[in-house]
Each structure stands twice: as C-alpha cells, then as structure tokens.
Amino acid sequence: EAGVTQFPSHSVIEKGQTVTLRCDPISGHDNLYWYRRVMGKEIKFLLHFVKESKQDESGMPNNRFLAERTGGTYSTLKVQPAELEDSGVYFCASSQDRAPRSHEQFFGPGTRLTVL
Amino acid sequence: AQSVTQLGSHVSVSEGALVLLRCNYSSSVPPYLFWYVQYPNQGLQLLLKYTSAATLVKGINGFEAEFKKSETSFHLTKPSAHMSDAAEYFCAVSDLKDSSYKLIFGSGTRLLVRP
C-alpha cells in the first residue's frame, strides 16, 4: 500500500511568487492534515479536511494560504504571494479513523519550501 | 491550551547506552500522547502512543515510554542505543475535546549515536 506522497520534495521561489504544494493521502483516508515546520521550531498544525470539507483551519497563518481538497482525494496548498517567513517544511498527514483509540496520522516526507 | 516541551534539542549517546528523551506536556484534560521519529529524508513515523490504557507503552524498535500524570511527563527510553536510532524524535499531544484530533508537537530532539 502506498503511503502519503507529497510533491514537490523541494521548491525554491522568490518572494512574491506563487507556489502550490500537493499531497496525496493514503487511499481511503477521509482525514487529511497539513502541518508546517519553520526552521528550528516545532511542527505546527495548519488545517484539517474531512473528505472535501475543511473541518478545522485554525492554524492557517493568513489569507495568503489557500488549501483545497477537490473530490475528497488529493489536496493542494497554495501560497500566494510567498513571503520569506513562509520558508519551512510542509507536511501532509492522513488518517482513516478519528476514533480516539485507533487514531493514527500517517505522514508524508514533506515539501521543503525556500523563499528567497 | 495544550503544549509540549521537549528538553534538549540534541542528545548524544554512545552505542549500547541508555536512550532517554524527555517530554513534558500541559493539558487540561486527559491527553493522548505520541512519539514520532523522523529519519533523514523521510516522513514522520509513529513510534508509540498512549491512549489512556496501560501507562507503560511499548513501541517499535525497542522503544518504550511511561505516562506519569503526577509529573505530566511522557519520556521515551530505549535500553541500548543502535547506530540506526540516530534521527529526530518528536513528542506530540492530542486533545480529546478537539474534534479534529490535531497534533501539537514539541520542538523535537535530535538523537546522535556515537560508535
């Protein structure tokens, strides 16, 4: 079974440009999460989808970030326009079940974004 | 608000020595607690989790962690370090009142294993 995949693995862009990150969750996983790790700091939650609906977007830093999950399958995270402080590693995770005892999030390898 | 503190951004041990990575949490409700590991160029992998059953939790690769409510701690241990254990380790907490079960992470501890 394929794990969570993310594309691209690395992206280097200039300030003011637009970047779109993609996440493909494990097949059948309704829950999809985005997290971000800014260099040297903790991994922080950005948002959570259940199928195509945004369940919790309390971690989105500002309106330059737009996440979508069309059809409840893959998800994209667009940053427009990118700023220097957006640099970091963006992780995607998916889970099948939100029941507490069985809940486990499976993480992708991350996309390293560098804004120059 | 929930939070996690990992003491020590870097821990160095000799191969064969005890591994102890510290994690303290803050939570207003009984938490679910997790340890994840990230090997170079890979995603985070779940090592173990505490979900209010046994307080001593055994995970993969010989790791275990003990939930101590009185100390609000969930330290990760392994009796004998292997070179392959070198990685970054993250402690995380999840709030059962939060319908999204999002994870709140500590800042991570990088484990170095000396030959």
Side-chain angles (χ1 to χ4, degrees):
Chain A
E1 177 183 303
V4 177
T5 58
Q6 294 186 244
F7 182 83
S9 57
H10 293 82
S11 180
V12 181
I13 62 172
E14 293 190 351
K15 176 182 172 180
Q17 289 186 321
T18 297
V19 64
T20 300
L21 313 181
R22 173 170 170 146
C23 168
D24 286 79
I26 294 172
S27 178
H29 282 195
D30 288 340
N31 297 281
L32 188 149
Y33 301 80
W34 283 98
Y35 294 86
R36 176 176 75 169
R37 188 183 193 195
V38 173
M39 184 177 294
K41 300 201 171 180
E42 67 272 21
I43 301 168
K44 285 195 171 180
F45 167 81
L46 295 178
L47 86 160
H48 168 220
F49 284 99
V50 177
K51 297 183 180 179
E52 67 275 9
S53 300
K54 292 176 186 175
Q55 176 77 17
D56 181 350
E57 51 185 329
S58 61
M60 294 288 264
N62 51 61
N63 59 10
R64 295 186 294 104
F65 289 75
L66 175 64
E68 295 181 324
R69 191 181 182 194
T70 307
T73 54
Y74 71 91
S75 174
T76 58
L77 180 65
K78 180 190 289 188
V79 185
Q80 179 182 30
E83 298 289 345
L84 299 179
E85 64 265 25
D86 300 332
S87 296
V89 181
Y90 290 76
F91 292 101
C92 176
S94 71
S95 70
Q96 182 176 39
D97 192 347
R98 281 193 292 162
R101 289 188 183 276
S102 56
H103 182 75
E104 179 178 346
Q105 295 181 27
F106 296 84
F107 281 78
T111 293
R112 183 174 296 277
L113 174 64
T114 302
V115 183
L116 302 176
Chain B
Q2 296 194 315
S3 66
V4 174
T5 301
Q6 290 185 243
L7 198 60
S9 59
H10 291 79
V11 170
S12 180
V13 301
S14 297
E15 190 174 20
L18 171 72
V19 175
L20 170 61
L21 304 183
R22 298 179 187 273
C23 173
N24 288 87
Y25 69 91
S26 171
S27 175
S28 58
V29 297
Y32 278 9
L33 293 158
F34 305 81
W35 275 99
Y36 280 85
V37 60
Q38 186 182 23
Y39 299 104
N41 301 316
Q42 296 186 28
L44 279 74
Q45 179 182 1
L46 182 66
L47 270 179
L48 49 81
K49 63 181 179 181
Y50 167 76
T51 56
S52 74
T55 57
L56 182 63
V57 182
K58 294 186 184 299
I60 62 172
N61 301 337
F63 284 93
E64 62 181 38
E66 186 172 8
F67 172 69
K68 291 187 176 180
K69 184 178 178 180
S70 61
E71 298 177 8
T72 61
S73 69
F74 190 56
H75 301 329
L76 182 71
T77 61
K78 182 173 180 177
S80 175
H82 294 167
M83 296 297 292
S84 60
D85 295 326
E88 191 161 19
Y89 293 78
F90 297 91
C91 182
V93 64
S94 182
D95 184 352
L96 297 185
K97 292 195 302 183
D98 181 350
S99 61
S100 74
Y101 298 127
K102 59 180 173 283
L103 297 172
I104 298 166
F105 286 91
S107 54
T109 298
R110 189 170 294 278
L111 177 66
L112 308 172
V113 183
R114 304 185 302 271

